[in-house]
Amino acid sequence: MVKRLAVIDVDLCVGCQSCMFACNRRFGEAGLARTAIFVQSVGGFERGFVVKVCRACRDPPCVRVCPTNALIERKGGGVRLDYRKCIACGNCISNCTIGAIFWDEVMKKPIVCTYCGYCVNYCPYGVIKLEEI
Ligand code: SF4
Ligand code: SF4
C-alpha cells in the first residue's frame, strides 16, 4: 500500500524540530543539513508553525519540470528521486507548489520525503503520521 506523511494537527506543534533532526539521522548524521521535513514559524511563537513535507501529489508538478527524468512519479502519488540522473538544476525546488523539496547541503542535490515515516516516531505530540493513500 502506498503511504505518505500527513500533518494531523499542526496546532499541537511546538517547533521543537525533533522530526527534522530525526529525518537527518536517517543518514547517520547529526544536524539539519539533509532533512526532508521542515518546521517553520508563521511569525511569532503564539501564532504557531507550519510543517512542510511532501504531500505525495498525484500528477506531481515537480516531475513535469525535471529535464532529466530524475524525479519519477510514484504509483498512487508522490515521487522518487534518482540521484544519479539529477543535475541539480533546482527546477523541482522552485516548482513544488508547497515548497516541500529542500536542498541537501551535503550531496548538493535536492531532497524530498521518501515516505518512510521515521520522523513520526520522534514527534512527541502526534503532529504527523504516516497514512495510506
Ligand atoms: S534538480 Fe535534479 S531532480 Fe530537480 S528538476 Fe533538476 S535535474 Fe530534476
Ligand atoms: S515534492 Fe511537492 S510537487 Fe512534488 S509530489 Fe511532493 S508535494 Fe507534490
Side-chain angles (χ1 to χ4, degrees):
M1 192 60 74
V2 180
K3 295 186 176 176
R4 72 173 170 191
L5 206 67
V7 180
I8 299 304
D9 189 350
V10 79
D11 289 339
L12 297 176
C13 179
V14 297
C16 67
Q17 301 185 331
S18 291
C19 54
M20 294 172 61
F21 283 105
C23 184
N24 203 90
R25 194 175 164 219
R26 287 177 303 139
F27 303 102
E29 296 168 13
L32 294 172
R34 306 184 74 185
T35 183
I37 183 169
F38 201 81
V39 178
Q40 195 173 23
S41 165
V42 291
F45 188 80
E46 70 284 357
R47 293 180 61 204
F49 299 89
V50 287
V51 180
K52 284 188 182 175
V53 66
C54 176
R55 298 296 159 86
C57 310
R58 287 175 189 268
D59 191 20
C62 57
V63 168
R64 279 184 254 134
V65 297
C66 178
T68 61
N69 297 321
L71 276 171
I72 299 145
E73 190 171 348
R74 193 177 62 147
K75 199 174 173 190
V79 294
R80 186 170 63 76
L81 176 60
D82 183 341
Y83 285 92
R84 291 163 307 173
K85 287 187 180 171
C86 176
I87 56 169
C89 69
N91 284 357
C92 54
I93 294 174
S94 42
N95 282 278
C96 169
T97 44
I98 59 166
I101 303 185
F102 308 103
W103 185 248
D104 184 330
E105 289 292 350
V106 178
M107 296 275 289
K108 302 296 181 200
K109 293 276 170 87
I111 186 162
V112 62
C113 181
T114 58
Y115 324 106
C116 70
Y118 187 70
C119 54
V120 172
N121 305 314
Y122 290 86
C123 176
Y125 301 104
V127 175
I128 46 182
K129 112 172 184 194
L130 207 57
E131 68 177 11
E132 289 180 356
I133 53 174

